[in-house]
Amino acid sequence: MPLSTQPYKGARDFYPPDKRLQKYLFKTMRKVVERFGYEEYDAPILESLELYLAKTGDEIINEQTYTFTDRGGRQIAIRPEMTPSVSRMVAAQRQQLTYPLRWYSIPNLWRYERPQRGRLREHWQLNVDLFGIEELTAEHEIIQLADTILQEFKAKRSQYTIKINSRKLTNSFMTDYLNLSTVQSQTLGKLIDRMHKMTMAEFSADAEAILSPSQRDKGITSKLLDSLTVKDLNELPDEIYRNNSVSELKRLINLLHGSDIKNIEFDFTLMRGFDYYTDIVFEIFDADPENNRSMFGGGRFDGLVGLFGVEPVPTIGFGMGDVTLFNFLESHNLLPKPKSETEAYVVLVGDVYEQAQKTINLLRGMDLNIAVDLSGRKPASQIKNAVKKEIAYAIFIGEKDLAEGQFNLKNLATGNEERHSLERIVSMIKDHRK
RNA sequence: GCGGACGUAGCUCAGUUAGGUAGAGCGUCGGGUUGUGGUCCCGAAUGUCGUGGGUUCGAGCCCCAUCGUUCGCCCCA
């Protein structure tokens, strides 16, 4: 039985063309995030299991987290998300950091589950967090940043929708307006999260099952349905409309409109899975009706840093996974075909490997990325090779060229070929970089 | 963890109701004379038909198991 060449289930190999694309994704993310003044941090892929026990639902720990016991008997987890790690880091230096912190990272994360479209066992995720700002300006900046990343990927605003909601508002809605118990609110919250996957009839049946007979008699089900289906904050029932969260959401929407972000919608059914969100949550959806799925999202979690025994730090952030982003860009034809890191391919004409060394070293010394063909095959084959590797230029080196100090530079995309000195060739290739 | 679909050359796939040395396109390699690709022509290599077992005179085609891929459910960053 030979060894299998397949990568581990739900994990990907990145062959050079794949890695090139991934580098493009990350480079674009980094460019935008750093333009907003965010700094990169990193943390270990292994964390103590208890880091995830306090804050997340039990589900993640029991079923979706890779865990093992190390040789010292410690319970270890492979990180399923970055937020606990970054909260830990902030808490550890709570007193000496200068706020606000604008931090980002692109970690690889692991979850143990059956792979499906857009959800693998290992994925990379851009994590952006803003620590230390309570004001709504933080929400505005973070959502604007998320939008700018998609803009940088050349997405049109008609291709995605930003939905926002407030956990505070939803909680107040359930406990104050509907008078539900804490347990009922939690169960209902999970149900609302799945609302768009079911019919209205199914949803109201499941909702009724959560209510007590007397609650059902008070017509809570219809109150619930009427409010949840509202598309505009102004249509909310008066008792809810008076809630402070409504004016905050309105202000946030205004701020975003002012930044030209008009594809933003209030969605009262937007929940997001994690319990640690405390206030505003948002999620970006693919607007394509064929692929109307959630791409990524985030929200405010003011309580996490405080779990480490230090004074709490208000925080808002989001995570953007590479798999869903890739699917989005691919389905909207927004993926470029990045060129090779190798800038020129040296085609050796005849048996000149040794004589050509000086020239090749000169090129490399001028800061060019040069690959030399070592096959000894005829020039036609060497060119084909360069084309397949998506290298932009070929430089021909034969005895005649070495003697004259002039070389043919061929643009492999256009087929255009010119004969120049080495210096001129170097500057032409460098001009092509931008 | 649950359900559906799929698994044939490097890739995409065709293989009729089970029967003869298992096919195509693309790709790869070589050639079309000695310094030039993406077009054209000629030629070549490559598969224990995912794996294991069963039914049968005979299985790529049927049955079971297993591994993997994929879509969905559960769950969700």
Side-chain angles (χ1 to χ4, degrees), chain A residues 106-138:
Chain A
I106 310 180
N108 56 335
L109 308 172
W110 290 81
R111 59 185 158 210
Y112 191 81
E113 66 167 357
R114 194 134 164 200
Q116 54 182 292
R117 180 173 167 79
R119 296 176 67 79
L120 302 176
R121 287 182 171 183
E122 183 193 30
H123 73 135
W124 272 259
Q125 188 185 66
L126 170 68
N127 272 257
V128 183
D129 294 294
L130 175 50
F131 291 88
I133 303 292
E134 268 176 287
E135 316 304 320
L136 220 47
T137 49

Side-chain angles (χ1 to χ4, degrees), chain A residues 353-372:
Chain A
Y353 180 75
E354 277 188 64
Q355 300 94 296
Q357 287 306 304
K358 206 174 148 190
T359 306
I360 292 164
N361 286 335
L362 270 169
L363 289 167
R364 290 184 178 141
M366 301 292 275
D367 199 28
L368 290 185
N369 298 342
I370 304 291
V372 181

Side-chain angles (χ1 to χ4, degrees), chain A residues 80-113:
Chain A
E81 54 159 337
M82 200 57 167
T83 306
S85 297
V86 69
S87 300
R88 176 177 63 70
M89 286 170 68
V90 171
Q93 301 197 357
R94 170 76 176 86
Q95 307 289 345
Q96 46 193 305
L97 294 167
T98 307
Y99 299 90
L101 302 174
R102 290 186 167 94
W103 283 10
Y104 82 92
S105 187
I106 310 180
N108 56 335
L109 308 172
W110 290 81
R111 59 185 158 210
Y112 191 81
E113 66 167 357

Side-chain angles (χ1 to χ4, degrees), chain A residues 142-427:
Chain A
I142 283 288
I143 295 176
Q144 194 188 11
L145 175 43
D147 173 79
T148 307
I149 292 174
L150 291 175
Q151 293 292 303
E152 192 71 24
F153 280 115
K154 310 277 187 262
K156 294 190 177 67
R157 292 217 172 82
S158 59
Q159 291 174 323
Y160 59 96
T161 309
I162 304 169
K163 296 185 177 178
I164 60 169
N165 190 18
S166 160
R167 274 284 181 89
K168 267 187 190 161
L169 184 64
T170 309
N171 287 340
S172 162
F173 167 68
M174 293 193 291
T175 55
D176 303 337
Y177 181 66
L178 301 180
N179 286 310
L180 301 183
S181 70
T182 311
V183 175
Q184 283 178 318
S185 299
Q186 276 175 1
T187 316
L188 183 60
K190 303 244 180 220
L191 182 62
I192 294 174
D193 201 21
R194 303 203 311 272
M195 189 175 177
H196 63 282
K197 287 186 179 176
M198 37 195 1
T199 63
M200 279 306 241
E202 286 166 341
F203 177 79
S204 50
D206 286 4
E208 293 240 312
I210 296 172
L211 303 175
S212 70
S214 68
Q215 286 172 323
R216 282 196 285 265
D217 292 344
K218 288 182 202 151
I220 287 189
T221 313
S222 59
K223 275 170 106 174
L224 176 66
L225 289 178
D226 289 349
S227 305
L228 288 181
T229 49
V230 155
K231 290 286 170 218
D232 190 317
L233 286 161
N234 294 316
E235 295 166 20
L236 287 170
D238 283 346
E239 298 95 315
I240 311 170
Y241 190 78
R242 284 196 293 270
N243 194 298
N244 188 39
S245 292
V246 171
S247 49
E248 288 197 347
L249 283 167
K250 288 182 112 171
R251 172 147 183 261
L252 177 56
I253 291 174
N254 278 335
L255 280 170
L256 290 165
H257 280 182
S259 305
D260 244 7
I261 300 168
K262 305 276 172 61
N263 52 334
I264 182 146
E265 288 176 7
F266 165 67
D267 185 344
F268 209 6
T269 70
L270 182 68
M271 297 300 290
R272 291 189 63 74
F274 277 156
D275 297 334
Y276 58 65
Y277 289 114
T278 51
D279 199 340
I280 303 262
V281 289
F282 67 97
E283 202 153 329
I284 283 81
F285 285 79
D286 190 337
D288 182 354
E290 295 291 306
N291 184 44
N292 195 359
R293 52 172 63 226
S294 162
M295 287 161 56
F296 66 94
R300 184 171 276 284
F301 46 99
D302 289 343
L304 272 188
V305 172
L307 289 180
F308 295 89
V310 298
E311 203 169 319
V313 178
T315 311
I316 176 161
F318 72 90
M320 176 187 237
D322 68 329
V323 184
T324 39
L325 174 66
F326 183 89
N327 288 342
F328 172 78
L329 296 176
E330 189 178 40
S331 70
H332 288 94
N333 274 317
L334 296 172
L335 280 177
K337 204 166 168 48
K339 283 282 178 201
S340 168
E341 294 83 351
T342 307
E343 297 175 286
Y345 196 75
V346 168
V347 174
L348 295 177
V349 183
D351 188 14
V352 293
Y353 180 75
E354 277 188 64
Q355 300 94 296
Q357 287 306 304
K358 206 174 148 190
T359 306
I360 292 164
N361 286 335
L362 270 169
L363 289 167
R364 290 184 178 141
M366 301 292 275
D367 199 28
L368 290 185
N369 298 342
I370 304 291
V372 181
D373 190 288
L374 302 176
S375 70
R377 295 197 290 167
K378 61 182 184 182
S381 300
Q382 298 188 42
I383 291 171
K384 277 189 204 169
N385 224 304
V387 170
K388 278 189 59 183
K389 290 177 190 293
E390 290 162 334
I391 297 170
Y393 288 103
I395 300 171
F396 295 84
I397 302 184
E399 282 183 27
K400 190 178 71 182
D401 315 290
L402 288 166
E404 294 175 9
Q406 298 273 310
F407 302 87
N408 284 20
L409 176 70
K410 185 178 186 109
N411 182 321
L412 293 171
T414 64
N416 186 42
E417 185 166 335
E418 297 175 34
R419 190 162 175 81
H420 293 295
S421 69
L422 219 50
E423 293 70 32
R424 180 97 180 88
I425 284 175
V426 170
S427 72

